[in-house]
């Protein structure tokens, strides 16, 4: 009896190990990982909704060759140490054919060596740190890089807004520090004066000391190189200190919670981002409509980019099947306009690193909404 | 270093300090009476902020009522925690109660995440804004310079001062206060003298927790943000403040809290904001090495 049980268990395990070529009616499993709880939970929620929407669309249309797509969601809490753990979990599960994630640059980097070793593709919908894709053939991303973004923000402040004195507040992690460094590099070239530079940690709540130091220098604009949670607090506390200074930030500030938590204090802030509903093409507008109807709130950039990232994986599986190596090779071959993926966030083409070039937009917070700013990049 | 700036930085540090002080008092009162570090104290602080936030935003309870109910809730929660998690363990080794405290802390954090979600939420939503709380005043003093206060900051400072005075009076002059001091000194003797030890301990938890609740609501208002993990770091810092001041000593806890807040504020301003936490805990280590009884604590040989 015991032996029988043992045999059953072993054969069940053996079956589980055989990947998506399993018997008909089985599902194709794709890992989706991001900060589902913790500080970046709002990003995680958008990632979950964007991914689910693509899955539902594919499954309603009959799946891939009759097989349904199943997303396996994991939570890295936005912390590298948790990211390494869930990366190990996803990568060791051979029924999972590809991973979309992580979101935070530090997390993508923490997962990178694990995905590389276990040979499974990692496609990040939101990690913008320059070095995310370097050093692994298995890591790709569906978003622009911070060197591009940092240069652009400096350029926008100096050339488009015409300011000359800027202060910088940055999150002391891979994303915040990286973006700030590229910004500084370009600012120096352009003759944009950085009057004060202040750092903070992710668990900082009190920005009084930094803001008081910045207030003394009286900058025309303050650049926040960090995430929306701290962004909302910084702007609120600046108003409490009687500061009227203009704010600008990168894609990390792009979240509905920035407005929810920051209220009036975030009005008028500029934010660079890879997707604005109003500026999306035909397909993008349809996506925004469907999404809003389905979830009762409009998608943000991360929902759109995740929707496309899952789309890229699904398109690839349709072409080459469920082999992990084949999936990677196919994504890596998407290097030309013809082979690229045309999604709601525009055309995605990868370069030899696994990076991709995407257009950048500037949003402004007005009346509690992200609207396209008057002046855009050409 | 300009004078004007120093004044503002001191004000910022002081605001932070009174919050640490209010939380630290709860730690220190409980420690004084049952020699337990109540690690769930930071979570009471968080729960009170959430309750006030939800009563006001979601249920439309008038703001002052929401605050009052949240403070009562904090007091009640403190008493319940003591009854459920500490009272059955009284008399067992101290480590056991400490582990129980950590368990309660984790339980409440996760409970809050299940009920309210892990996201940070505004304490006061824009739609329900209270204009008075958004006002700022700039105070200019000759020779010292000027500083901008928000009305929340002023409320924080005034509330803390009032509580500080009220609490000291209560401990010194009321019957409950006397009972607390008696229990802290010698629980057995107090019992022999007719003090109801259980009731006194419950009263201590209620008062300490209410104070933690006040701190939570004030911080929620100050940063306009509440989230389930907010009690964790605040609790650690307040614990540090209580130890610096001399754990078990109420005046010490206030002093420790304010000292810690001001040191952190100045560190953020003139050294680096990345070193604020490191500096706070470095002070804790130094105090533990060179003055383990704390700044205001006395070295008393324990009978038990």
């Amino acid at each position: 009896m015991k032996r029988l049980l043992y045999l059953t268990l072993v054969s069940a395990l053996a079956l589980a190990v055989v990947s998506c070529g399993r018997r008909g009616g089985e599902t194709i499993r794709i890992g989706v990982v991001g900060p589902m709880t913790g500080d970046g939970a709002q990003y995680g929620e958008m990632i979950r909704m964007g991914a689910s929407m693509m899955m539902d669309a594919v499954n309603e249309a009959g799946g891939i060759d009759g097989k349904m797509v199943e997303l396996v969601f994991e939570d890295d809490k936005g912390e590298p140490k948790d990211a390494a753990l869930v990366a190990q979990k996803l990568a060791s599960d051979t029924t999972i054919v590809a991973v979309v994630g992580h979101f935070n640059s530090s997390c993508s980097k923490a997962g990178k060596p694990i995905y590389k070793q276990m040979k499974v593709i990692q496609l990040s919908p939101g990690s913008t740190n320059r070095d995310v894709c370097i050093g692994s053939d298995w890591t790709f991303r569906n978003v622009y890089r911070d060197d591009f973004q940092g240069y652009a923000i400096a350029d926008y402040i100096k050339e488009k807004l015409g300011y000359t004195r800027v202060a910088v507040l940055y999150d002391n992690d891979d994303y915040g520090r990286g973006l700030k460094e590229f910004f500084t590099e370009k600012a120096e070239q352009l003759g944009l004066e950085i009057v004060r530079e202040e750092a903070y940690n992710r668990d900082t709540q009190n920005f009084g000391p930094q803001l008081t130091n910045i207030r003394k220098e009286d900058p025309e604009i303050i650049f926040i190189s960090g995430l929306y949670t701290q962004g909302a607090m910084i702007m609120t506390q600046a108003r409490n200190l009687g500061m009227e200074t203009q704010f600008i930030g990168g894609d990390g500030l792009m979240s509905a919670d920035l407005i929810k938590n920051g209220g009036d204090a975030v009005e008028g802030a500029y934010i660079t981002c890879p997707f604005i509903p109003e500026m999306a093409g035909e397909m993008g507008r349809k996506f925004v409509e469907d999404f809003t109807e389905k979830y009762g709130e409009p998608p943000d950039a991360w929902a759109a980019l995740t929707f496309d990232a899952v789309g890229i994986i699904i398109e690839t599986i349709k072409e080459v099947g469920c082999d992990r190596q084949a999936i990677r090779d196919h994504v890596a071959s998407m290097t030309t306009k013809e082979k690229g993926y045309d999604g709601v966030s525009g055309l995605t083409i990868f370069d030899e690193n696994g990076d991709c070039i995407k257009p950048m937009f500037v949003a402004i917070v007005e009346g509690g909404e992200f609207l396209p700013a008057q002046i855009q990049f050409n | 270093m300009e004078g004007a700036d120093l004044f503002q930085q001191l004000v910022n540090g002081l605001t932070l300090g009174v919050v640490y002080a209010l939380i630290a008092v709860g730690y220190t009162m409980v420690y004084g009476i049952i020699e337990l570090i109540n690690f769930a104290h930071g979570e009471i602080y968080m729960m009170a902020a959430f309750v006030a936030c939800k009563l006001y935003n979601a249920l439309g309870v008038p703001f002052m009522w929401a605050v009052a109910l949240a403070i009562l809730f904090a007091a009640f929660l403190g008493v319940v925690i003591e009854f459920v998690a500490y009272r059955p363990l009284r008399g067992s080794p101290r480590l056991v109660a400490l582990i129980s405290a950590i368990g309660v802390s984790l339980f409440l954090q996760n409970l809050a995440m299940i009920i309210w979600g892990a996201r940070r939420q505004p304490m006061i939503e824009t739609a329900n804004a209270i204009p008075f709380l958004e006002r700022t005043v700039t105070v200019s003093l000759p020779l010292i310079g000027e500083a901008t206060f928000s009305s929340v900051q002023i409320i924080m400072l005034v509330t803390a001062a009032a509580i500080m005075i009220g609490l000291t009076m209560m401990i010194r002059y009321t019957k409950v206060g006397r009972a607390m001091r008696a229990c802290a000194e010698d629980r057995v003797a107090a019992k022999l003298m007719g003090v109801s030890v259980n009731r006194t301990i419950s009263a201590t938890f209620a008062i300490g927790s209410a104070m933690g609740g006040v701190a939570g609501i004030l911080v929620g208002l100050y940063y306009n943000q509440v989230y389930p993990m907010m009690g964790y770091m605040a609790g650690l810092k307040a614990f540090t403040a209580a130890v610096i001041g001399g754990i078990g000593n109420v005046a010490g806890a206030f002093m420790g809290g304010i000292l810690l807040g001001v040191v952190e504020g100045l560190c953020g301003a003139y050294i680096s904001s990345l070193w604020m936490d490191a500096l706070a805990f470095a002070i804790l280590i130094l105090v533990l090495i060179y003055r383990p009884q704390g700044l205001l604590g006395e070295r008393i040989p324990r009978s038990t």
Side-chain angles (χ1 to χ4, degrees):
Chain A
M1 193 60 208
K2 223 172 204 172
R3 172 165 291 182
L4 191 67
L5 185 73
Y6 180 72
L7 268 177
T8 326
L9 271 176
V10 169
S11 39
L13 265 175
L15 261 179
V17 179
V18 182
S19 60
C20 80
R22 282 181 290 167
R23 294 161 293 150
E26 296 285 347
T27 57
I28 295 173
R29 307 179 81 211
I30 300 170
V32 177
V33 52
M36 303 299 173
T37 61
D39 253 9
Q42 166 72 10
Y43 299 127
E45 209 159 297
M46 280 291 172
I47 287 168
R48 183 193 290 273
M49 292 193 282
S52 304
M53 198 161 142
M54 175 53 85
M55 173 183 77
D56 293 347
V58 172
N59 287 346
E60 273 159 30
I64 305 175
D65 295 337
K67 291 196 196 97
M68 292 294 128
V69 174
E70 181 193 346
L71 298 179
V72 179
F73 290 103
E74 288 291 343
D75 178 15
D76 65 20
K77 302 187 179 72
E79 299 281 350
K81 61 178 192 306
D82 294 289
L85 286 176
V86 292
Q88 192 69 57
K89 188 172 161 195
L90 287 170
S92 331
D93 181 346
T94 47
T95 64
I96 286 172
V97 297
V99 174
V100 171
H102 302 222
F103 179 76
N104 306 71
S105 296
S106 307
C107 293
S108 286
K109 283 182 171 178
K112 180 163 66 173
I114 298 164
Y115 296 118
K116 184 180 178 185
Q117 193 201 348
M118 305 296 287
K119 298 198 185 310
V120 59
I121 189 172
Q122 170 194 18
L123 174 57
S124 169
S127 295
T128 51
N129 178 276
R130 185 190 60 180
D131 303 334
V132 165
C133 296
I134 292 174
S136 167
D137 291 340
W138 293 84
T139 301
F140 296 81
R141 69 174 128 198
N142 181 34
V143 64
Y144 53 60
R145 283 186 354 197
D146 280 339
D147 42 354
F148 176 52
Q149 179 166 232
Y151 296 158
I153 292 172
D155 183 66
Y156 194 80
I157 292 175
K158 181 76 188 353
E159 308 298 338
K160 304 281 196 287
L161 298 175
Y163 292 134
T164 52
R165 294 164 51 77
V166 58
V168 182
L169 256 165
Y170 67 96
D171 187 348
N172 191 29
D173 83 338
D174 281 336
Y175 168 72
R177 234 183 8 250
L179 182 59
K180 179 217 68 168
E181 273 158 24
F182 299 117
F183 171 83
T184 311
E185 196 183 311
K186 186 74 174 182
E188 276 163 11
Q189 281 173 26
L190 291 173
L192 177 63
E193 190 192 352
I194 297 174
V195 295
R196 187 91 199 185
E197 204 177 276
E198 293 278 347
Y200 60 86
N201 284 325
R202 193 64 60 78
D203 53 12
T204 303
Q205 270 207 313
N206 177 28
F207 294 91
Q210 294 97 318
L211 286 167
T212 306
N213 281 336
I214 286 175
R215 188 177 65 172
K216 185 174 62 182
E217 306 293 342
D218 193 27
E220 290 167 298
I221 190 165
I222 299 171
F223 167 45
I224 300 175
S225 182
L227 307 183
Y228 70 90
T229 28
Q230 286 75 26
M233 283 199 280
I234 290 169
M235 292 187 229
T236 309
Q237 291 179 32
R239 301 301 178 234
N240 283 342
L241 279 169
M243 296 166 74
E244 303 278 342
T245 323
Q246 172 78 54
F247 281 95
I248 189 168
D251 58 314
L253 295 190
M254 190 67 178
S255 163
D257 271 13
L258 177 83
I259 295 170
K260 192 169 172 236
N261 291 355
D264 290 342
V266 303
E267 282 288 308
Y270 290 106
I271 291 148
T272 53
C273 60
F275 179 84
I276 303 183
E278 284 77 5
M279 305 205 54
E282 187 64 32
M283 212 191 311
R285 270 195 291 276
K286 172 127 185 15
F287 165 72
V288 173
E289 262 171 41
D290 294 349
F291 188 99
T292 315
E293 192 182 329
K294 187 164 180 172
Y295 298 109
E297 57 181 315
D300 66 6
W302 312 119
L305 292 177
T306 310
F307 183 80
D308 281 349
V310 176
I312 291 169
I313 298 292
I314 286 175
E315 215 43 52
T316 304
I317 295 173
K318 278 183 187 161
E319 292 274 328
V320 300
C322 289
D323 181 57
R324 283 178 168 189
Q325 180 77 46
I327 292 174
R328 186 219 88 90
D329 291 345
H330 187 268
V331 172
S333 76
M334 297 167 69
T335 48
T336 61
K337 235 177 198 162
E338 293 72 41
K339 290 184 191 160
Y341 177 82
D342 195 17
V344 296
S345 62
L347 187 70
T348 304
I349 302 168
F350 296 102
D351 68 8
E352 66 277 14
N353 290 328
D355 290 330
C356 80
I357 304 295
K358 291 243 166 188
M360 182 182 309
F361 304 100
V362 184
I364 184 167
V365 181
E366 253 174 33
E369 272 185 273
F370 292 107
L371 297 178
Q374 287 282 318
I375 315 165
Q376 294 289 337
F377 298 105
N378 308 320
Chain B
M1 192 191 295
E2 292 163 41
D5 239 38
L6 181 63
F7 185 33
Q8 179 79 59
Q9 298 287 15
L10 282 173
V11 168
N12 294 343
L14 194 63
T15 322
L16 199 61
V18 296
V19 170
Y20 291 156
L22 283 176
I23 316 172
V25 167
Y27 272 113
T28 227
M29 284 173 72
V30 166
Y31 185 86
I33 205 157
I34 57 171
E35 283 167 33
L36 164 77
I37 307 290
N38 179 14
F39 271 112
H41 195 57
E43 275 55 52
I44 295 176
Y45 155 97
M46 173 271 292
M47 291 296 251
F50 258 112
V51 167
C53 164
K54 292 297 161 189
L55 283 177
Y56 179 67
N57 288 316
L59 300 177
V61 177
F63 187 67
M64 289 318 290
W65 277 103
V67 169
L69 286 173
I71 295 170
L72 280 180
F73 173 79
F76 176 71
L77 186 62
V79 173
V80 170
I81 291 173
E82 193 269 333
F83 191 78
V84 174
Y86 307 149
R87 189 166 296 183
L89 297 173
R90 206 176 291 159
S92 43
R94 272 204 240 170
L95 192 61
V96 176
L98 192 70
I99 292 169
S100 182
I102 293 171
V104 173
S105 160
L106 289 175
F107 170 76
L108 290 176
Q109 273 171 18
N110 287 286
L111 183 71
M113 275 190 221
I114 291 169
I115 304 177
W116 296 302
R119 277 154 70 167
R120 295 180 186 227
Q121 304 170 24
M123 177 87 175
I124 292 182
E125 279 167 19
T126 322
N128 309 325
I130 302 171
F132 171 73
L133 293 178
E134 282 162 22
R135 268 191 228 157
T136 57
V137 192
T138 302
V139 178
S140 201
L141 294 176
L143 297 177
I144 297 176
E146 57 172 48
T148 305
F149 292 77
S150 67
S151 40
V152 177
Q153 258 175 322
I154 296 172
I155 294 172
M156 286 165 95
L157 296 172
V158 172
T159 314
I163 286 180
M164 210 182 304
I165 295 165
L167 193 66
T168 314
M169 306 278 272
M170 193 212 73
I171 290 175
R172 201 164 291 172
Y173 300 115
T174 65
K175 201 173 161 194
V176 183
R178 251 198 309 275
M180 282 176 186
R181 279 184 291 146
C183 286
E185 214 158 283
D186 191 329
R187 211 187 296 161
V188 179
K191 203 170 188 174
L192 290 173
M193 294 298 123
V195 175
S196 166
V197 174
N198 276 342
R199 206 179 296 163
T200 310
I201 291 176
S202 289
T204 311
F205 266 89
I207 295 168
S209 303
M211 235 143 275
V214 171
I217 295 164
L218 288 174
V219 165
L221 282 177
Y222 186 45
Y223 299 133
N224 197 22
Q225 213 163 63
V226 288
Y227 55 103
M229 294 303 290
M230 69 187 275
Y232 174 70
M233 202 29 127
L236 273 185
K237 289 282 176 60
F239 170 62
T240 306
V243 173
I244 290 174
I247 189 134
N249 184 316
V250 172
F254 261 106
M255 217 184 79
I258 289 170
L259 182 77
L260 198 64
V262 170
V263 166
E264 263 189 37
L266 294 182
C267 172
Y270 302 112
I271 303 173
S272 160
S273 42
L274 299 178
W275 287 92
M276 292 197 315
D277 293 345
L279 189 71
F281 296 124
I283 293 176
L284 175 67
I285 293 170
L286 288 179
V287 168
L288 285 175
I289 293 174
Y290 293 106
R291 205 177 154 79
Q293 72 274 36
L295 298 178
L296 294 191
E298 287 160 41
R299 203 188 278 271
I300 310 169
R302 287 237 166 254
S303 52
T304 46

